[in-house]
Amino acid sequence: MRKKSVLAVAFAAAAALTLSACGGSDDAAEKPLADVSVPTKTKAATVLDQPFTKPGLVLTDTHGKKYDLREQTKGKPTLIYFGYTNCPDVCPLTMSNIAIARKALPKADQDKLQVVFVTTDPERDTPSSLGTWLKSQDPSFIGLTGDFPTIQAGARQIGIGIDAPKKEKDGTVVSMHGSQVIAFSPKTDKGYLVYGEDTSPDDYAKDLPEIVKGENP
């Protein structure tokens, strides 16, 4: 996997948290976004002292309908991830890991959990193609697409840097993006937990019951 480092936005002050991304060239430069604080680290997640506010994104879902992220996930345990369906490594692995962990939950908790995948490559990830890709991961997953500037601004609200897709010399198109999953509490609708790309299905499975209840693992 080829990586690029970016810095998370506004955890609070002082230290730097490095976010990796999939796709792109080996010599991609680091992109500092803002100052960050030193959060608490659990086994799998980083617990933020200053949680993220859920992005104010209004996009299009895989059925071609308008989807207001804040309104339609209000009061629900929600995982949000920014990626793209043509990603060769991190994106499908992350979605697969979450899908495996979700299936380990009791049926009632499975129904409560919202997993939202926002594309970073909206030109290629149409509602139809995004829906087909997510269905192969987990039919319950919510896929969102729209115009790139809106998606980029929404990602930055939760500390994730993304670049517009670029065509490489060999003709392949890559989308550079932070590869973190942010978990939002159903009690406050705030994002307290950040999971990295190395989070395993077992890690998610251990934490999801607490996330569904609105508690930090």
Side-chain angles (χ1 to χ4, degrees):
M1 181 188 73
R2 296 176 293 177
K3 297 182 180 179
K4 171 184 172 182
S5 295
V6 292
L7 297 183
V9 175
F11 285 177
L17 179 65
T18 300
L19 304 184
S20 62
C22 70
S25 60
D26 293 327
D27 59 353
E30 291 191 349
K31 283 197 166 184
L33 296 183
D35 289 336
V36 296
S37 68
V38 182
T40 303
K41 181 72 178 172
T42 71
K43 246 183 176 180
T46 297
V47 182
L48 305 180
D49 293 329
Q50 288 193 342
F52 288 120
T53 298
K54 198 173 287 179
L57 280 171
V58 179
L59 296 170
T60 301
D61 67 15
T62 55
H63 303 289
K65 295 181 179 179
K66 173 181 158 184
Y67 190 95
D68 186 322
L69 180 65
R70 282 183 182 169
E71 185 61 31
Q72 291 180 247
T73 61
K74 186 176 182 181
K76 299 175 182 178
T78 304
L79 304 182
I80 297 177
Y81 181 78
F82 288 79
Y84 67 118
T85 64
N86 286 283
C87 173
D89 36 47
V90 177
C91 302
L93 179 61
T94 298
M95 290 295 100
S96 175
N97 288 346
I98 294 172
I100 292 169
R102 179 183 172 274
K103 289 182 177 120
L105 288 169
K107 182 63 168 61
D109 287 349
Q110 288 185 39
D111 293 341
K112 292 175 185 176
L113 183 66
Q114 309 292 295
V115 180
V116 180
F117 181 96
V118 185
T119 182
T120 60
D121 185 11
E123 282 195 19
R124 291 189 295 170
D125 286 344
T126 64
S128 176
S129 64
L130 184 55
T132 299
W133 187 81
L134 285 174
K135 189 175 181 181
S136 70
Q137 299 284 349
D138 188 314
S140 76
F141 287 178
I142 299 159
L144 301 179
T145 187
D147 66 274
F148 182 80
T150 298
I151 292 170
Q152 185 180 51
R156 284 180 174 270
Q157 290 176 35
I158 55 173
I160 295 175
I162 63 175
D163 289 343
K166 294 180 182 178
K167 184 174 285 190
E168 300 284 87
K169 291 180 180 179
D170 62 2
T172 60
V173 178
V174 295
S175 175
M176 301 296 297
H177 63 89
S179 56
Q180 277 59 43
V181 173
I182 314 295
F184 289 80
S185 168
K187 293 181 178 178
T188 64
D189 284 316
K190 299 286 188 179
Y192 292 90
L193 303 172
V194 180
Y195 291 90
E197 63 187 56
D198 57 348
T199 306
S200 70
D202 285 344
D203 290 331
Y204 282 118
K206 288 175 185 175
D207 288 1
L208 283 180
E210 303 304 315
I211 290 171
V212 169
K213 290 187 290 186
E215 299 174 2
N216 289 338

